[in-house]
Amino acid sequence: MSVSLTSFLEVMPPLLKAAVVTVEISVLSLAFACVIAPPLAIARMIGPWPARFAVSVLVEAVRGVPPLVVIAFVYFALPAIGLTFNGFWTGVAALTVVGAVYAVDIVRSSIESLGRGQKEAALALGFSVWRAYLEILFPQALKRILPPLTNELANVIKASALLSVISVNEISHVGHGLIFETFIVAEVIIQMAILYLVIVGCLSALSRALERRLAH
Amino acid sequence: MRGITKSYGAFKALDAVDLDLRRGEKLVVCGPSGSGKSTLIRCINRLEEPESGLVTIEGQKVGAGGAELIALRRRVGMVFQQFNLFPHLPVIDNITIGPRRLKGMGRAEAADRAIALLERVKLADQAHKLPSQLSGGQQQRVAIARALAMEPVLMLFDEPTSALDPEMIKEVLDVMLELGQQGMSMIVVTHEMGFARRAADRIVFMDKGRIVAGAPPREFFDNPSHPRLRQFLDNILGH
């Protein structure tokens, strides 16, 4: 099988359009995940017991099933209780939950690794426990959180390929469609791979830039 | 404080301890390790929760939690053995974070006051370094400045020089001595008997979770009242 430039260019416009969708879903879900993970992690550490219990159940449940099941749950099961999402927002919601759940444990273990002296210093100054965690401990833990978090978030981006099962027009879905419509295979697959590499590469670059800023 | 009791399992760290401090008084707490010295001062701002007993500061009861405890902690400074500076923040931000976040003080005012405090602990030239770039003695002086930034009515020192090289102990003790001379109420847990003799208004000796002796320095050292204290002084002053 040969790879032709003409075919490569032919499938490029629809794949680029699909890449925009993958990027949109990834950026939104990663952003939401990063916003909700720290409070969830702190709730799991110091919240009242119902909050600790609820977060633990969520974390264990979501971590225990494949992301595909989470997507199917949001798409097919939530409408039963009146929550209906289209494909795009199903992707955002499901990947937000998946990303947040993995981030919760990373945030928690990073904060716990700081040692109790930091917490005591913040409390002794007069921070409430919640504010000590959010304003003193979490910013300090960021440096330890970033590398493992980047790994997990890269997995979340790649999990967006699973949205093809509910016909979201992201890279994988569009790519498969193109293969069956045009019988151009290698050019599509190679381009899909390059697009994912670029997207995940951007995340890694962003994370490294952040790490450098946090270096101390 | 009245009847403060704290146990860890079967071990009684504090056994119904009573202690009073006058405003402006400098109290040194000494005793063998495990005698409950650190636990005692950590019960004052409730970093340890005593099982029973009552702590009152300026007539106000220290509650078990909530807004009152937080308000009280803002008026009681604490200095730790391991400094516990916030490593991700430059020295000046370590000092301003309390006044800015907890008292709503403006950036410029907080910075001006932080510089003044750093001058007091003789570190004004280090304001923009990170804690990790300072020596232990310097870090501990920053920690003192950080606590003073909240304008406390009482300062607690939990073995402030125990983690320091001998040469750095003096620079920290000098700052504490000066603070005492300026009228700050202080409770200092320390093994530095030279400091105790010079700076303390009163020294108490703890053993097995109880205060077994307490006296002004001269009487404490020259005329020890309790056999366990005599043995302790012999051991630490004996060479």
Side-chain angles (χ1 to χ4, degrees):
Chain A
M1 192 167 60
S2 66
V3 174
S4 95
L5 184 62
T6 330
S7 304
F8 197 84
L9 292 174
E10 190 190 327
V11 297
M12 192 182 265
L15 278 175
L16 282 179
K17 225 174 118 192
V20 172
V21 175
T22 296
V23 168
E24 283 172 348
I25 291 176
S26 302
V27 167
L28 286 172
S29 45
L30 298 194
F32 290 149
C34 288
V35 169
I36 65 173
L40 283 182
I42 295 170
R44 196 180 183 181
M45 287 186 277
I46 56 169
W49 76 262
R52 288 204 307 268
F53 181 73
V55 176
S56 301
V57 167
L58 180 75
V59 168
E60 296 307 325
V62 173
R63 242 188 356 192
V65 302
L68 186 59
V69 175
V70 179
I71 291 166
F73 183 84
V74 173
Y75 197 63
F76 297 114
L78 287 188
I81 56 162
L83 280 170
T84 309
F85 296 93
N86 65 15
F88 182 89
W89 288 105
T90 296
V92 173
L95 296 182
T96 296
V97 171
V98 170
V101 153
Y102 283 104
V104 161
D105 262 10
I106 294 171
V107 171
R108 185 173 67 126
S109 58
S110 303
I111 288 180
E112 280 171 356
S113 72
L114 293 174
R116 66 176 196 165
Q118 290 294 316
K119 178 180 169 183
E120 287 181 351
L123 292 183
L125 269 182
F127 282 88
S128 68
V129 185
W130 268 89
R131 290 188 66 185
Y133 273 80
L134 266 178
E135 297 178 36
I136 306 284
L137 301 179
F138 175 66
Q140 250 184 76
L142 263 185
K143 201 178 64 160
R144 301 176 195 209
I145 290 171
L146 267 180
L149 185 64
T150 306
N151 266 331
E152 286 304 337
L153 296 185
N155 284 334
V156 172
I157 292 177
K158 288 178 277 182
S160 71
L162 299 167
L163 295 170
S164 58
V165 300
I166 53 167
S167 303
V168 178
N169 285 321
E170 46 69 57
I171 295 171
S172 295
H173 186 62
V174 170
H176 286 132
L178 280 170
I179 290 173
F180 292 114
E181 282 164 30
T182 63
F183 301 107
I184 299 168
V185 179
E187 290 83 347
V188 170
I189 303 275
I190 291 169
Q191 220 169 122
M192 284 167 63
I194 292 172
L195 288 171
Y196 280 118
L197 277 173
V198 169
I199 295 170
V200 173
C202 287
L203 173 72
S204 308
L206 184 70
S207 156
R208 272 197 303 275
L210 270 175
E211 255 180 85
R212 267 197 302 278
R213 282 201 53 189
L214 292 173
H216 54 75
Chain B
M1 62 171 73
R2 284 284 167 271
I4 295 294
T5 300
K6 170 84 188 171
S7 336
Y8 300 101
F11 177 69
K12 235 178 195 171
L14 291 177
D15 191 358
V17 172
D18 296 338
L19 187 65
D20 291 288
L21 193 76
R22 284 176 287 106
R23 190 190 303 265
E25 188 177 16
K26 273 78 69 186
L27 178 77
V28 163
V29 182
C30 66
S33 36
S35 59
K37 317 179 290 286
S38 288
T39 311
L40 178 72
I41 66 167
R42 290 164 59 86
C43 279
I44 293 173
N45 63 356
R46 301 249 168 179
L47 287 181
E48 304 285 351
E49 194 58 40
E51 275 123 46
S52 57
L54 182 69
V55 178
T56 354
I57 295 177
E58 291 190 327
Q60 246 181 335
K61 215 175 105 183
V62 183
E68 280 163 20
L69 175 59
I70 286 166
L72 181 124
R73 280 175 175 160
R74 290 177 190 176
R75 298 166 62 229
V76 177
M78 184 157 207
V79 174
F80 299 86
Q81 182 175 358
Q82 299 296 341
F83 332 134
N84 295 344
L85 293 178
F86 305 130
H88 62 308
L89 298 177
V91 163
I92 183 140
D93 294 350
N94 263 279
I95 300 171
T96 58
I97 193 166
R100 287 189 59 199
R101 298 274 178 88
L102 302 173
K103 290 181 160 180
M105 192 182 285
R107 177 190 291 270
E109 190 191 353
D112 286 347
R113 296 191 15 176
I115 295 294
L117 284 169
L118 281 172
E119 276 163 8
R120 234 166 117 183
V121 299
K122 298 168 186 71
L123 286 171
D125 50 336
Q126 312 286 334
H128 299 286
K129 287 192 179 166
L130 286 169
S132 57
Q133 293 168 298
L134 304 184
S135 73
Q138 290 173 324
Q139 288 190 48
Q140 193 61 298
R141 285 184 282 152
V142 173
I144 293 171
R146 176 176 69 177
L148 290 176
M150 294 299 286
E151 300 185 309
V153 295
L154 167 67
M155 285 284 285
L156 307 173
F157 292 85
D158 188 1
E159 303 205 24
T161 58
S162 298
L164 296 177
D165 288 344
E167 287 187 321
M168 291 167 186
I169 290 175
K170 183 175 179 302
E171 65 191 43
V172 172
L173 292 181
D174 283 349
V175 166
M176 291 168 57
L177 206 61
E178 209 177 294
L179 192 60
Q181 284 159 359
Q182 288 158 356
M184 177 65 74
S185 313
M186 297 162 61
I187 302 181
V188 184
V189 171
T190 187
H191 297 294
E192 296 296 331
M193 289 302 122
F195 171 81
R197 193 185 281 273
R198 281 178 66 200
D201 298 316
R202 183 157 58 107
I203 308 174
V204 295
F205 174 76
M206 291 189 67
D207 187 39
K208 295 187 179 129
R210 291 171 170 274
I211 292 177
V212 296
R218 181 165 304 176
E219 185 188 333
F220 183 88
F221 287 110
D222 301 343
N223 198 4
S225 56
H226 192 276
R228 182 66 186 92
L229 171 60
R230 275 198 294 277
Q231 182 196 349
F232 177 78
L233 290 175
D234 281 348
N235 286 341
I236 60 170
L237 303 174
H239 58 85

